[in-house]
Amino acid sequence: MATLHTQTAARFMMAPAVLLLLAWMLVPLSMTLWFSFQRYNLLMPGMEYFTGFENYRYFFSNPSFWAALFNTLYLVGGVLIITLAGGTLLALLLDQPIFGQGIVRLLVIAPFFVMPTVSALVWKNMLMHPVNGFFAWLARVFGFQPVDWLAQLPLVSIIIIVAWQWLPFATLIILTALQSLDEDQREAASLDGAGPFSMFFYITLPHLARAITVVMLIETIFLLSVFAEILVTTNGGPGTSTTNLTFLIYIQSLLQFDVGLASAGGIVAVILANIVAIFLLRIVGRNLEA
Amino acid sequence: MARAVSTRRKVAVSIIAWAIGLIIFFPILWTFLTSFKTEGTAIAVPPKFLFFDWTLENYFTVQERSDYFRHFSNSIISAVGSTIVGLIIAVPAAWAMAFSPTKRTKDVLMWMLSTKMLPAVGVLVPIYLLFRDFRLLDTHIGLIIVLTMINLPIIVWMLFTYFKEIPNDILEAARMDGAGLREEILYVLTPMAVPGIASTLLLNIILAWNEAFWTLNLTTTAAAPLTAFIASYSSPEGLFWAKLSAASTLAIAPILIMGWFSQKQLVRGLTFGAVK
């Protein structure tokens, strides 16, 4: 139906978005790739030279890289488990008839709109503080020894904070998927004598599979680059116990000015994210056909 | 076909749901309450919930000492500015893809999505160096450029899913009645597209407002938005909980309210139309 004339017009309309994104992707990425093969420190200008894979070798043989890689995996894995399990349960609960359903929904999704620096500082100080924090008070009320969260369990604390931010996202999306579940199907199943558990595992969960996968992939992409929460709470410490890949590269580039090494790290991060991205793109692409 | 539900069951489920909702919301509520306390009551053990001397003093101190309104206007400029620039670039693109799709449209859309998957830290060094050389560090323009580019794929995608729902028959009818391209866009399509554009605008302001990687790394003082303003409370001022709470309340209140209005769009925008 589209005529030649409208196709030319369409191309012109798309050009700015496509060209800008292309530039935004290609220019910095090729610069990162180029830098990653250079010995290049901002503190020693004019001393750059080509070193081949030296940066990568240093990066991979550096224990803090492996620590950061594992911290990244724990962080992503921990937050995913909490938000997916919690989000599914919460969505099932909110799908029931409730008094004041709209208000409860608002309460549950609110954390998603809190900027990362605020949630991290509020949790760090007012909730997790070992002496004056709310949790410390709760612990003492119930007769436990208060936990110094960010000193004793730094990575767990970060996982809790980030999970609190992402739980609403998982809940909201799973709830949306839940509400599109065909009521007739449920009724047919219950007429056939399906109990609540077999109903959940044979009808509801398969229906949610797609939404859960989408949540998992999107969260992974964002969680791989958690940054602000770490910066304002632990600054990567104690030691390297809360340094993830993003934070390690930030230290290397903007604090130690080692452009070459940071770039090699950046390329590693890009490759990791791409592995996740391929799966997400497949799912979204399949949806586009439908 | 509503399921018959006993009132008792509904009451029980409601109590559980409200309890969990309040627990999840508690950190925000606590911040809000603490912002009206004096520093002394803020750290009191056992904590005081409602019965304390409410004061607005912290809000004045925050403004006086760290110039809240400058950071607030920086946030507005960068969030709203980047969203508007993004819309100007994205509306024609999404329009073309929705109304005269070609064989390659799907590939272009997927490719745009893939640029969103590029981790920011992978391009931190070159962007930082380019910004330094072009004197864009700590400027509104620099921040608007970055925020526009990182959210452009989401804007295009959201608009595309909305535009695709506008029935093509209406266009045909308008053409039959002799409408030219200009009339077609102005009188037929624009009114139908406005709700979708508005939702996209809202969601992207939220995303840009809360963005905390580039805003922290590319600004210092002049263009620093609220994310950076709050981050400055991480050390020594973090000890002043009441002021931290007042600053935090001010930083999240506008976006929380906008967010509550745009929950539905949030799902569509953040899943790239994969869940509706």
Side-chain angles (χ1 to χ4, degrees):
Chain A
M1 189 201 75
T3 60
L4 200 63
H5 176 72
T6 56
Q7 277 200 6
T8 320
R11 223 164 268 163
F12 269 107
M13 286 160 83
M14 280 167 60
V18 171
L19 292 179
L20 281 172
L21 270 177
L22 198 64
W24 171 253
M25 193 172 77
L26 280 184
V27 174
L29 202 56
S30 42
M31 281 172 77
T32 306
L33 196 61
W34 171 249
F35 290 151
S36 75
F37 295 112
Q38 305 275 320
R39 180 87 195 83
Y40 181 8
N41 194 311
L42 288 181
L43 296 178
M44 297 179 284
M47 301 271 287
E48 301 89 36
Y49 57 91
F50 189 78
T51 61
F53 284 94
E54 197 53 40
N55 285 323
Y56 290 92
R57 202 161 62 208
Y58 184 82
F59 203 78
F60 283 119
S61 65
N62 187 346
S64 61
F65 163 71
W66 293 102
L69 186 65
F70 281 112
N71 287 338
T72 308
L73 294 180
Y74 291 143
L75 181 61
V76 174
V79 175
L80 277 183
I81 291 170
I82 296 174
T83 55
L84 287 177
T88 308
L89 292 175
L90 213 51
L92 286 171
L93 185 68
L94 292 180
D95 196 34
Q96 312 286 319
I98 299 172
F99 293 110
Q101 191 164 31
I103 301 171
V104 177
R105 237 175 99 126
L106 291 185
L107 295 180
V108 168
I109 63 166
F112 189 74
F113 304 112
V114 176
M115 56 176 65
T117 44
V118 167
S119 49
L121 279 180
V122 165
W123 277 80
K124 176 192 177 185
N125 291 311
M126 284 144 60
L127 298 176
M128 289 175 163
H129 192 279
V131 181
N132 306 80
F134 192 79
F135 293 165
W137 174 70
L138 269 188
R140 276 192 294 263
V141 166
F142 290 101
F144 294 104
Q145 186 68 28
V147 178
D148 188 353
W149 288 91
L150 285 154
Q152 289 168 355
L153 301 164
L155 194 57
V156 173
S157 306
I158 303 248
I159 289 175
I160 294 174
I161 297 173
V162 177
W164 178 74
Q165 290 179 288
W166 284 94
L167 183 64
F169 175 76
T171 308
L172 196 58
I173 285 172
I174 295 170
L175 183 62
T176 308
L178 208 52
Q179 283 165 346
S180 69
L181 180 59
D182 194 6
E183 194 64 32
D184 292 345
Q185 207 182 0
R186 268 201 268 200
E187 235 159 81
S190 72
L191 282 180
D192 287 344
F197 279 97
S198 46
M199 184 93 95
F200 176 73
F201 283 106
Y202 292 109
I203 308 271
T204 313
L205 206 56
H207 177 77
L208 293 181
R210 197 185 134 87
I212 291 177
T213 318
V214 170
V215 171
M216 197 170 90
L217 294 169
I218 291 176
E219 279 194 13
T220 306
I221 285 163
F222 281 96
L223 294 176
L224 280 173
S225 35
V226 165
F227 173 75
E229 292 85 345
I230 298 173
L231 180 76
V232 299
T233 53
T234 62
N235 233 319
T240 56
S241 56
T242 53
T243 303
N244 66 355
L245 214 46
T246 302
F247 203 77
L248 181 70
I249 298 167
Y250 156 79
I251 293 174
Q252 231 112 44
S253 56
L254 297 192
L255 298 184
Q256 297 178 356
F257 303 105
D258 194 332
V259 171
L261 202 54
S263 298
I267 294 295
V268 173
V270 169
I271 291 169
L272 276 180
N274 268 315
I275 296 172
V276 182
I278 289 169
F279 290 102
L280 178 59
L281 290 175
R282 274 213 194 125
I283 291 186
V284 177
R286 212 175 295 150
N287 184 58
L288 212 56
E289 317 252 283
Chain B
M1 278 218 270
R3 280 168 290 168
V5 181
S6 70
T7 318
R8 198 190 294 165
R9 187 188 138 99
K10 190 174 171 182
V11 170
V13 173
S14 299
I15 291 171
I16 299 172
W18 273 91
I20 294 179
L22 286 172
I23 290 173
I24 291 175
F25 190 69
F26 179 76
I28 300 174
L29 181 68
W30 193 237
T31 309
F32 181 70
L33 290 177
T34 308
S35 73
F36 296 106
K37 297 175 181 174
T38 59
E39 292 298 347
T41 12
I43 57 166
V45 182
K48 293 203 169 19
F49 288 91
L50 288 172
F51 304 105
F52 54 84
D53 291 326
W54 291 59
T55 169
L56 281 172
E57 187 198 316
N58 300 307
Y59 287 92
F60 294 115
T61 323
V62 164
Q63 164 59 17
E64 261 167 44
R65 277 222 313 230
S66 39
D67 203 354
Y68 169 80
F69 282 109
R70 188 165 55 83
H71 296 93
F72 181 79
S73 56
N74 283 342
S75 271
I76 297 258
I77 292 170
S78 57
V80 176
S82 68
T83 304
I84 289 174
V85 175
L87 280 175
I88 292 171
I89 302 168
V91 167
W95 197 281
M97 288 190 230
F99 291 116
S100 44
T102 62
K103 277 178 294 194
R104 269 177 304 166
T105 301
K106 192 191 149 196
D107 297 330
V108 174
L109 273 168
M110 295 310 289
W111 167 75
M112 284 192 171
L113 181 54
S114 76
T115 65
K116 185 70 196 154
M117 319 270 151
L118 186 71
V121 78
V123 292
L124 171 64
V125 176
I127 295 288
Y128 189 87
L129 294 179
L130 285 173
F131 268 49
R132 186 196 60 183
D133 295 343
F134 285 99
R135 307 208 172 283
L136 287 171
L137 284 178
D138 204 18
T139 62
H140 290 134
I141 296 177
L143 212 50
I144 289 177
I145 292 175
V146 169
L147 292 176
T148 301
M149 293 317 293
I150 61 169
N151 285 331
L152 191 57
I154 294 185
I155 301 182
V156 172
W157 262 88
M158 268 187 89
L159 290 174
F160 173 76
T161 63
Y162 281 113
F163 289 169
K164 245 181 66 167
E165 282 169 10
I166 297 176
N168 235 328
D169 301 350
I170 288 189
L171 280 185
E172 302 263 314
R175 279 184 203 142
M176 295 280 218
D177 290 344
L181 187 65
R182 210 179 69 90
E183 286 91 0
E184 197 179 299
I185 290 176
L186 217 58
Y187 300 116
V188 185
L189 288 174
T190 309
M192 300 191 68
V194 163
I197 294 178
S199 318
T200 312
L201 182 97
L202 216 55
L203 176 69
N204 274 279
I205 290 177
I206 295 172
L207 289 179
W209 187 278
N210 286 344
E211 204 286 328
F213 180 77
W214 293 110
T215 50
L216 289 177
N217 280 320
L218 295 180
T219 65
T220 46
T221 49
L226 287 168
T227 43
F229 169 70
I230 298 292
S232 72
Y233 275 79
S234 62
S235 58
E237 304 225 7
L239 303 173
F240 299 105
W241 293 3
K243 286 176 197 67
L244 168 66
S245 298
S248 299
T249 305
L250 288 171
I252 61 176
I255 232 59
L256 196 58
I257 292 163
M258 282 177 74
W260 277 340
F261 280 112
S262 64
Q263 337 173 11
K264 271 275 163 204
Q265 287 70 38
L266 191 80
V267 174
R268 187 197 284 239
L270 286 175
T271 60
F272 300 95
V275 176
K276 268 183 219 163

